Amino acid sequence: MKRKTQLIHGGISNDPATGAVTFPIYQVSTFKQEGVGGHKGFEYSRTGNPTRHVLEELIKELEGGKAGFAFGSGMAAMTAVMMLFNSGDHVILTDDVYGGSFRVMTKVLNRLGIDSTFVDTSKAENILTAIKPNTKAIHLETPTNPLLKITDIEAVAKLAKEHNLLTIVDNTFSTPYWQNPIELGADIVVHSATKYLGGHSDVVAGLAVVNSEKLAEDLHFVQNSTGGILGPQDSYLLIRGIRTLGVRLEEMEANTKAIVEFLQGHSNVKKVYYPGIETHPNHQIAKKQTRGFGGMVSFDVGSAENADKLLSKVKYFTLAESLGAVESLISVPARMTHASIPAERREELGITDGLVRISVGLEDVEDLIEDLENALNS
Ligand SMILES: Cc1ncc(COP(=O)(O)O)c(C=O)c1O
């Protein structure tokens, strides 16, 4: 099955009970048992729900793993994965991870004794230096948010195996349509499915896929015990979003390429960050491990004042957090998605006050370029 076909016919694509071509929403909390324990595979919807199960089977297949899990948000998925570890364990993470991922590690999980170190994982030597006797995993975000740095997943997974560590990849930006971390050696993939997988800014959800029966058993135990599950209606919306993922991403990729070319040629833009640019330091790795460079672009307009001017002029780029939807979005990471990262740390990372991030949508690219041009010229 090719990739666009798999998005539509993968997993359990219709309802065997009725023949309905879309799987129904099982809005139910509990299931009748024919005698104690005599159920048809479902007992209680926290433990398992048919609509969520269809979504979990679909993401499992798309990521090429052993089991999929759906959560109430990307952060719930990441937190559940971190609950696989114990007090006293240590995790290495990519330095410019999503601000919420930084926050949960340094303000919540640290209190439970899970220690973390953030390094530029695009350079393997940084990971090696950060490994401690109690390190259990390396958590990668690639491409990163908002600087679009790329980590070589295959190389890190190899290094992790040599040190008996798990490799976890946040695949939100690429999705399984462009990038398959498990094929490259990763053990766990997590998603903010709120983004490209949902694709329509109408659902908050998280997904995780694991590559072994043992991890599947352990993560299901955490999911059922801590209960951060995705409800049936949102599971349905996500299945629906995933069906059109391929066409959306192909079109967004084409729009993004044109916008990047435009931004590179504009005198008010100091720097453009996009892994598809040949001079991007990790361009070759991006080419090797992904089939598309994605629809996220960051660019520096020099100052917070310039960024504010740009934001006040654009018409088609909506000022909002989030990304990956049909409508183009614009944000200033330093004051929005990454505001939870302390200012000095942001400075170190290069998340400047003039850095603007766009998520390119499905509008006509001529309109998007004209919009940016008017705003930048003003
Ligand atoms: C890369 C990445 N991972 C995780 C998250 C968290 O996901 P959610 O907002 O669905 O909890 C986000 C949210 O922006 C993200 O961009």
Side-chain angles (χ1 to χ4, degrees):
M1 219 191 297
K2 289 202 179 354
R3 283 176 304 126
K4 284 200 199 91
T5 313
Q6 197 183 27
L7 294 169
I8 295 159
H9 295 283
I12 306 160
S13 59
N14 48 39
D15 180 20
T18 62
V21 296
T22 60
F23 198 83
I25 302 170
Y26 278 82
Q27 191 69 43
V28 59
S29 61
T30 195
F31 299 80
K32 182 180 172 199
Q33 304 192 8
E34 303 295 343
V36 178
H39 55 77
K40 299 187 170 81
F42 297 97
E43 307 162 68
Y44 184 63
S45 278
R46 169 160 41 73
T47 316
N49 171 280
T51 317
R52 193 177 92 225
H53 177 64
V54 167
L55 170 64
E56 293 177 334
E57 285 298 292
L58 179 59
I59 194 66
K60 171 190 94 174
E61 196 173 307
L62 297 178
E63 289 289 8
K66 285 273 189 287
F69 300 91
F71 296 89
S73 69
M75 288 322 302
M78 177 178 176
T79 305
V81 166
M82 290 298 159
M83 289 290 159
L84 295 172
F85 305 116
N86 297 309
S87 170
D89 288 347
H90 170 247
V91 181
I92 299 168
L93 295 97
T94 304
D95 55 2
D96 62 337
V97 278
Y98 167 62
S101 306
F102 179 81
R103 181 174 53 202
V104 77
M105 295 306 301
T106 58
K107 296 236 161 64
V108 180
L109 294 166
N110 63 324
R111 293 196 277 107
L112 306 179
I114 299 173
D115 186 22
S116 49
T117 304
F118 295 82
V119 299
D120 179 353
T121 50
S122 66
K123 298 188 180 75
E125 61 272 23
N126 295 336
I127 299 178
L128 277 174
T129 322
I131 296 176
K132 301 192 217 177
N134 59 340
T135 306
K136 291 291 186 301
I138 306 172
H139 175 105
L140 305 175
E141 209 177 288
T142 177
T144 61
N145 176 13
L147 294 173
L148 288 311
K149 282 195 285 194
I150 303 289
T151 293
D152 187 334
I153 299 173
E154 199 171 13
V156 172
K158 189 164 170 282
L159 183 154
K161 280 201 175 69
E162 285 163 11
H163 291 81
N164 212 12
L165 312 176
L166 291 176
T167 305
I168 305 165
V169 178
D170 183 329
N171 205 22
T172 300
F173 270 37
S174 296
T175 83
Y177 189 76
W178 290 141
Q179 174 170 281
N180 302 102
I182 288 178
E183 263 176 28
L184 297 167
D187 301 286
I188 305 178
V189 174
V190 289
H191 283 281
S192 168
T194 314
K195 312 291 156 36
Y196 289 102
L197 294 173
H200 295 76
S201 303
D202 53 8
V203 60
V204 173
L207 296 170
V209 177
V210 297
N211 77 343
S212 76
E213 300 295 349
K214 171 80 177 92
L215 284 171
E217 197 182 309
D218 291 351
L219 192 56
H220 184 254
F221 184 79
V222 172
Q223 185 192 40
N224 189 38
S225 304
T226 57
I229 49 149
L230 191 66
Q233 305 238 6
D234 285 347
S235 296
Y236 174 85
L237 277 177
L238 212 45
I239 297 165
R240 187 172 74 164
I242 291 172
R243 288 182 157 213
T244 57
L245 181 70
V247 284
R248 285 189 282 110
L249 290 199
E250 297 280 359
E251 189 73 10
M252 283 171 179
E253 178 90 356
N255 281 1
T256 308
K257 198 165 168 256
I259 289 175
V260 166
E261 271 166 30
F262 159 76
L263 289 171
Q264 284 182 297
H266 200 287
S267 57
N268 290 343
V269 174
K270 313 272 174 270
K271 186 165 179 182
V272 183
Y273 298 84
Y274 185 64
I277 299 174
E278 280 183 17
T279 52
H280 182 289
N282 316 120
H283 175 68
Q284 290 308 329
I285 298 166
K287 243 170 106 172
K288 182 185 80 165
Q289 72 187 14
T290 64
R291 292 174 287 271
F293 300 111
M296 299 301 299
V297 185
S298 293
F299 55 98
D300 205 319
V301 291
S303 67
E305 201 192 354
N306 288 349
D308 282 340
K309 266 193 236 158
L310 175 78
L311 297 179
S312 69
K313 295 285 176 204
V314 282
K315 282 192 306 199
Y316 300 128
F317 285 86
T318 306
L319 175 64
E321 299 206 355
S322 204
L323 57 106
V326 292
E327 60 280 326
S328 293
L329 300 177
I330 193 162
S331 67
V332 279
R335 282 176 284 152
M336 295 172 72
T337 46
H338 290 65
S340 55
I341 297 180
E344 19 355 310
R345 176 115 191 92
R346 283 201 307 267
E347 196 64 31
E348 270 166 41
L349 295 171
I351 305 173
T352 60
D353 290 346
L355 191 74
V356 176
R357 187 190 82 176
I358 54 173
S359 167
V360 178
L362 293 179
E363 299 90 344
D364 283 305
V365 73
E366 296 80 4
D367 286 335
L368 295 178
I369 291 179
E370 191 184 289
D371 198 22
L372 286 172
E373 188 163 29
N374 288 341
L376 282 165
N377 291 345
S378 73

